[in-house]
Amino acid sequence: MSDPAGVFLTLADIAARLGGDVLGDAQTRIRQVATLASAGEGDIGFLANPKYRGQLQTTRASAVILAPDLADAVSLPRIVCPNPYAYYARLAALLNPPAAVKPGVHASASCASPVPASAHIGAHVSIGAGVVLGEGVVIHPGCVIGDGAALGDGSVLHANVTVYAGCVIGRRCILHAGAVIGADGFGFAPDGGQWVKIPQIGRVVIGDDVEIGANTTIDRGALDDTRIGDGSKLDNQIQIAHNCVIGRRCVIAGSVGMAGSVTLEDNVILGGAAMISGHVSIASGAVISGGSLVMKNITKPGQYTSVFPLEEHSRWLHNAAQIRHLARLAERISELEKKLKDTNVKD
């Protein structure tokens, strides 16, 4: 594996571990992955987006990763595989393994529950009563784990993650710095001009192999649980409100806001800054473009967009002004169609 001391893998070594066909010198040594534009000697580049195909002729990479239809597009040593982007991701993980973490409990940590001998508990971590920790968990400094919470085998909590009481996190999950799991949902009942807080007595239940970005917040359910399905990936600074149900393998980009009781079926993709209104359901395989507002159910797969493309400000103002009159315009068209129909009937 690659490291600062200069350890290399040959293309033959890589293909033996990750698959793919090697064309050219299989003993070409690789130290690191890189873009085609920035790669140098000892680096392997990859082509996942056709718009960068021209860079194959100018790259200084020692080797490249290509799809079968481009196998002959360059004479450099290369690995040919069906999905160069996924191959790059796996190779990057192989060449850049996470730093080793030694098991043990820091002297400043406060642990009111048993800690497995294989776990790593960092400085100033607080673990409440009745917490269940899986084997090999890593909890970095400043994290707080509330009473009765559970954390599955091999999961990692980066600095200052907060997991509220009773919440459940599955196996092999990664929670990045500042994530908050299980804060109260935004529930208040109006009463005589005041707002009465509704106790949030559900939990957050997160499946296996989920990754949650920095400063993302997932609220606990009011009655039932808020759920995140296996294999879903959440970016930074996302808000997921109470009683949302996220299916398996969903991908949610940064700054998405999701109101209460939203349901995402499996394999939904939400672009950055998308806003989802409460009690909306989105069908499996749907893709929501960045910045879109979803206010009604989406019942079939496909890509959906609800924003205007960027344009010159004066033109945007002109179009926005016309939009204000669309309802009246529709009424006038309806009236004209009715008159035309009446005229045709008389004729």
Side-chain angles (χ1 to χ4, degrees):
M1 293 183 182
S2 176
D3 63 25
V7 178
F8 291 77
L9 290 175
T10 67
L11 293 183
D13 293 331
I14 294 168
R17 300 189 192 195
L18 302 180
D21 297 321
V22 179
L23 301 182
D25 184 2
Q27 296 308 307
T28 301
R29 300 197 308 163
I30 299 301
R31 176 189 66 242
Q32 191 53 274
V33 294
T35 64
L36 293 172
S38 65
E41 184 179 355
D43 294 335
I44 186 168
F46 64 98
L47 180 63
N49 188 329
K51 69 183 289 187
Y52 298 114
R53 179 174 177 172
Q55 294 181 4
L56 286 174
Q57 309 308 318
T58 58
T59 185
R60 296 183 179 183
S62 293
V64 292
I65 304 167
L66 298 172
D69 62 337
L70 294 173
D72 297 325
V74 69
S75 60
L76 287 170
R78 52 211 181 274
I79 294 176
V80 178
C81 61
N83 187 339
Y85 195 58
Y87 198 100
Y88 142 74
R90 293 188 176 94
L91 180 54
L94 180 63
L95 294 172
N96 300 276
V101 177
K102 294 182 179 180
V105 179
H106 194 275
S108 64
S110 174
C111 302
S113 299
V115 176
S118 60
H120 170 89
I121 309 298
H124 305 293
V125 168
S126 175
I127 298 175
V131 171
V132 177
L133 299 179
E135 296 293 335
V137 300
V138 176
I139 303 177
H140 287 287
C143 292
V144 177
I145 315 297
D147 294 348
L151 184 60
D153 295 347
S155 286
V156 177
L157 273 58
H158 288 281
N160 300 316
V161 169
T162 300
V163 180
Y164 278 61
C167 294
V168 177
I169 297 169
R171 299 171 295 174
R172 301 176 300 276
C173 292
I174 301 172
L175 277 66
H176 288 281
V180 177
I181 309 301
D184 279 357
F186 194 65
F188 298 89
D191 182 26
Q194 298 183 347
W195 294 98
V196 179
K197 183 174 177 62
I198 301 170
Q200 305 291 289
I201 60 176
R203 305 172 297 170
V204 173
V205 177
I206 296 173
D208 298 336
D209 302 303
V210 172
E211 185 158 351
I212 296 172
N215 295 319
T216 283
T217 57
I218 304 176
D219 291 344
R220 70 194 310 117
L223 293 172
D224 298 327
D225 298 331
T226 302
R227 294 185 172 272
I228 312 294
D230 294 347
S232 288
K233 312 298 181 184
L234 281 63
D235 198 1
N236 302 332
Q237 297 180 323
I238 292 167
Q239 159 65 14
I240 296 181
H242 56 189
N243 297 110
C244 288
V245 177
I246 310 302
R248 297 171 297 171
R249 300 177 300 276
C250 292
V251 175
I252 304 177
S255 300
V256 165
M258 195 176 299
S261 299
V262 167
T263 298
L264 303 187
E265 297 182 5
D266 297 342
N267 302 305
V268 170
I269 298 175
L270 302 182
M275 294 287 119
I276 316 298
S277 296
H279 303 272
V280 162
S281 178
I282 299 180
S284 179
V287 177
I288 308 302
S289 299
S292 295
L293 172 61
V294 181
M295 301 183 66
K296 63 180 182 180
N297 292 341
I298 293 175
T299 59
K300 59 183 181 181
Q303 183 158 5
Y304 297 83
T305 304
S306 69
V307 293
F308 288 109
L310 184 71
E311 61 181 349
E312 186 181 39
H313 183 63
S314 60
R315 288 182 57 83
W316 185 92
L317 288 174
H318 177 75
N319 289 334
Q322 301 306 312
I323 288 172
R324 290 201 301 267
H325 304 295
L326 284 179
R328 177 57 187 151
L329 181 61
E331 291 173 0
R332 290 177 62 189
I333 291 173
S334 179
E335 292 170 0
L336 289 172
E337 288 177 338
K338 185 176 183 299
K339 290 179 180 178
L340 181 61
K341 182 179 179 180
D342 291 344
T343 299
N344 291 336
V345 169
K346 291 176 181 177
D347 292 344

Short mmCIF file of all heavy atoms in Angstrom, two decimals, residues 261-286:
data_model
loop_
_atom_site.label_atom_id
_atom_site.label_comp_id
_atom_site.label_asym_id
_atom_site.label_seq_id
_atom_site.Cartn_x
_atom_site.Cartn_y
_atom_site.Cartn_z
N SER A 261 -42.22 13.95 8.36
CA SER A 261 -43.00 12.84 7.78
C SER A 261 -42.83 12.69 6.27
O SER A 261 -43.74 12.27 5.57
CB SER A 261 -44.49 13.00 8.13
OG SER A 261 -44.67 12.97 9.53
N VAL A 262 -41.67 13.04 5.77
CA VAL A 262 -41.33 12.78 4.37
C VAL A 262 -40.89 11.33 4.24
O VAL A 262 -40.21 10.79 5.11
CB VAL A 262 -40.22 13.72 3.88
CG1 VAL A 262 -39.64 13.26 2.55
CG2 VAL A 262 -40.75 15.14 3.77
N THR A 263 -41.26 10.69 3.14
CA THR A 263 -40.82 9.32 2.85
C THR A 263 -40.05 9.31 1.54
O THR A 263 -40.56 9.73 0.50
CB THR A 263 -42.01 8.36 2.75
OG1 THR A 263 -42.69 8.32 4.01
CG2 THR A 263 -41.54 6.96 2.39
N LEU A 264 -38.82 8.84 1.60
CA LEU A 264 -38.04 8.57 0.40
C LEU A 264 -37.97 7.06 0.24
O LEU A 264 -37.49 6.37 1.14
CB LEU A 264 -36.62 9.13 0.48
CG LEU A 264 -36.42 10.62 0.75
CD1 LEU A 264 -34.95 10.97 0.61
CD2 LEU A 264 -37.26 11.47 -0.17
N GLU A 265 -38.43 6.54 -0.88
CA GLU A 265 -38.26 5.12 -1.14
C GLU A 265 -36.80 4.85 -1.50
O GLU A 265 -35.97 5.75 -1.48
CB GLU A 265 -39.23 4.67 -2.23
CG GLU A 265 -40.69 4.83 -1.82
CD GLU A 265 -41.66 4.35 -2.87
OE1 GLU A 265 -41.21 3.81 -3.91
OE2 GLU A 265 -42.88 4.53 -2.69
N ASP A 266 -36.45 3.62 -1.82
CA ASP A 266 -35.06 3.26 -2.07
C ASP A 266 -34.49 4.00 -3.28
O ASP A 266 -35.19 4.31 -4.24
CB ASP A 266 -34.93 1.75 -2.32
CG ASP A 266 -35.35 0.92 -1.13
OD1 ASP A 266 -35.43 1.47 -0.01
OD2 ASP A 266 -35.61 -0.29 -1.31
N ASN A 267 -33.16 4.27 -3.22
CA ASN A 267 -32.40 4.77 -4.37
C ASN A 267 -32.86 6.14 -4.88
O ASN A 267 -32.74 6.44 -6.07
CB ASN A 267 -32.44 3.76 -5.53
CG ASN A 267 -31.90 2.40 -5.12
OD1 ASN A 267 -30.79 2.29 -4.64
ND2 ASN A 267 -32.71 1.37 -5.28
N VAL A 268 -33.37 6.97 -4.00
CA VAL A 268 -33.70 8.34 -4.36
C VAL A 268 -32.44 9.21 -4.25
O VAL A 268 -31.62 9.02 -3.35
CB VAL A 268 -34.81 8.89 -3.45
CG1 VAL A 268 -35.01 10.40 -3.65
CG2 VAL A 268 -36.12 8.15 -3.71
N ILE A 269 -32.30 10.16 -5.17
CA ILE A 269 -31.18 11.11 -5.14
C ILE A 269 -31.75 12.52 -5.02
O ILE A 269 -32.61 12.92 -5.81
CB ILE A 269 -30.32 11.00 -6.40
CG1 ILE A 269 -29.69 9.60 -6.50
CG2 ILE A 269 -29.23 12.07 -6.41
CD1 ILE A 269 -28.93 9.37 -7.78
N LEU A 270 -31.27 13.26 -4.02
CA LEU A 270 -31.68 14.66 -3.83
C LEU A 270 -30.48 15.56 -4.05
O LEU A 270 -29.46 15.44 -3.37
CB LEU A 270 -32.23 14.88 -2.41
CG LEU A 270 -33.42 14.02 -1.97
CD1 LEU A 270 -33.85 14.42 -0.56
CD2 LEU A 270 -34.58 14.18 -2.94
N GLY A 271 -30.59 16.48 -5.02
CA GLY A 271 -29.52 17.43 -5.28
C GLY A 271 -29.39 18.46 -4.18
O GLY A 271 -30.29 18.67 -3.36
N GLY A 272 -28.27 19.15 -4.15
CA GLY A 272 -27.99 20.12 -3.10
C GLY A 272 -29.04 21.20 -2.97
O GLY A 272 -29.57 21.70 -3.96
N ALA A 273 -29.36 21.54 -1.72
CA ALA A 273 -30.30 22.61 -1.39
C ALA A 273 -31.73 22.35 -1.84
O ALA A 273 -32.56 23.26 -1.85
CB ALA A 273 -29.83 23.95 -1.94
N ALA A 274 -32.05 21.12 -2.19
CA ALA A 274 -33.46 20.78 -2.46
C ALA A 274 -34.26 20.92 -1.17
O ALA A 274 -33.76 20.64 -0.07
CB ALA A 274 -33.57 19.37 -3.02
N MET A 275 -35.52 21.32 -1.31
CA MET A 275 -36.41 21.48 -0.17
C MET A 275 -37.61 20.57 -0.36
O MET A 275 -38.28 20.63 -1.41
CB MET A 275 -36.89 22.93 -0.05
CG MET A 275 -35.78 23.93 0.26
SD MET A 275 -35.22 23.81 1.99
CE MET A 275 -33.50 23.37 1.73
N ILE A 276 -37.92 19.76 0.66
CA ILE A 276 -39.00 18.79 0.55
C ILE A 276 -40.07 19.15 1.59
O ILE A 276 -39.78 19.17 2.80
CB ILE A 276 -38.52 17.34 0.79
CG1 ILE A 276 -37.20 17.08 0.04
CG2 ILE A 276 -39.61 16.37 0.39
CD1 ILE A 276 -37.27 17.21 -1.45
N SER A 277 -41.29 19.45 1.15
CA SER A 277 -42.37 19.80 2.06
C SER A 277 -42.81 18.59 2.88
O SER A 277 -42.60 17.43 2.48
CB SER A 277 -43.56 20.36 1.29
OG SER A 277 -43.21 21.57 0.65
N GLY A 278 -43.48 18.85 3.98
CA GLY A 278 -43.90 17.79 4.88
C GLY A 278 -44.90 16.83 4.27
O GLY A 278 -45.71 17.21 3.42
N HIS A 279 -44.83 15.57 4.70
CA HIS A 279 -45.80 14.52 4.33
C HIS A 279 -45.77 14.20 2.83
O HIS A 279 -46.75 13.69 2.29
CB HIS A 279 -47.21 14.91 4.76
CG HIS A 279 -47.32 15.18 6.23
ND1 HIS A 279 -47.59 14.19 7.15
CD2 HIS A 279 -47.18 16.33 6.94
CE1 HIS A 279 -47.61 14.72 8.37
NE2 HIS A 279 -47.36 16.02 8.26
N VAL A 280 -44.65 14.47 2.18
CA VAL A 280 -44.46 14.14 0.77
C VAL A 280 -43.78 12.79 0.65
O VAL A 280 -42.90 12.45 1.44
CB VAL A 280 -43.64 15.24 0.06
CG1 VAL A 280 -43.06 14.75 -1.26
CG2 VAL A 280 -44.50 16.47 -0.18
N SER A 281 -44.17 12.01 -0.35
CA SER A 281 -43.54 10.73 -0.64
C SER A 281 -42.87 10.80 -2.01
O SER A 281 -43.47 11.30 -2.97
CB SER A 281 -44.57 9.60 -0.61
OG SER A 281 -43.98 8.36 -0.92
N ILE A 282 -41.64 10.29 -2.10
CA ILE A 282 -40.88 10.30 -3.35
C ILE A 282 -40.55 8.87 -3.74
O ILE A 282 -39.96 8.12 -2.96
CB ILE A 282 -39.61 11.16 -3.23
CG1 ILE A 282 -39.99 12.61 -2.88
CG2 ILE A 282 -38.78 11.10 -4.50
CD1 ILE A 282 -38.82 13.54 -2.73
N ALA A 283 -40.91 8.49 -4.96
CA ALA A 283 -40.81 7.11 -5.42
C ALA A 283 -39.37 6.68 -5.63
O ALA A 283 -38.47 7.49 -5.91
CB ALA A 283 -41.59 6.93 -6.72
N SER A 284 -39.16 5.38 -5.53
CA SER A 284 -37.85 4.78 -5.74
C SER A 284 -37.29 5.18 -7.11
O SER A 284 -38.00 5.17 -8.12
CB SER A 284 -37.96 3.26 -5.65
OG SER A 284 -36.72 2.65 -5.89
N GLY A 285 -36.02 5.55 -7.13
CA GLY A 285 -35.36 5.89 -8.38
C GLY A 285 -35.55 7.32 -8.85
O GLY A 285 -35.00 7.69 -9.88
N ALA A 286 -36.28 8.14 -8.11
CA ALA A 286 -36.46 9.54 -8.50
C ALA A 286 -35.19 10.33 -8.22
O ALA A 286 -34.48 10.07 -7.24
CB ALA A 286 -37.64 10.16 -7.77
#
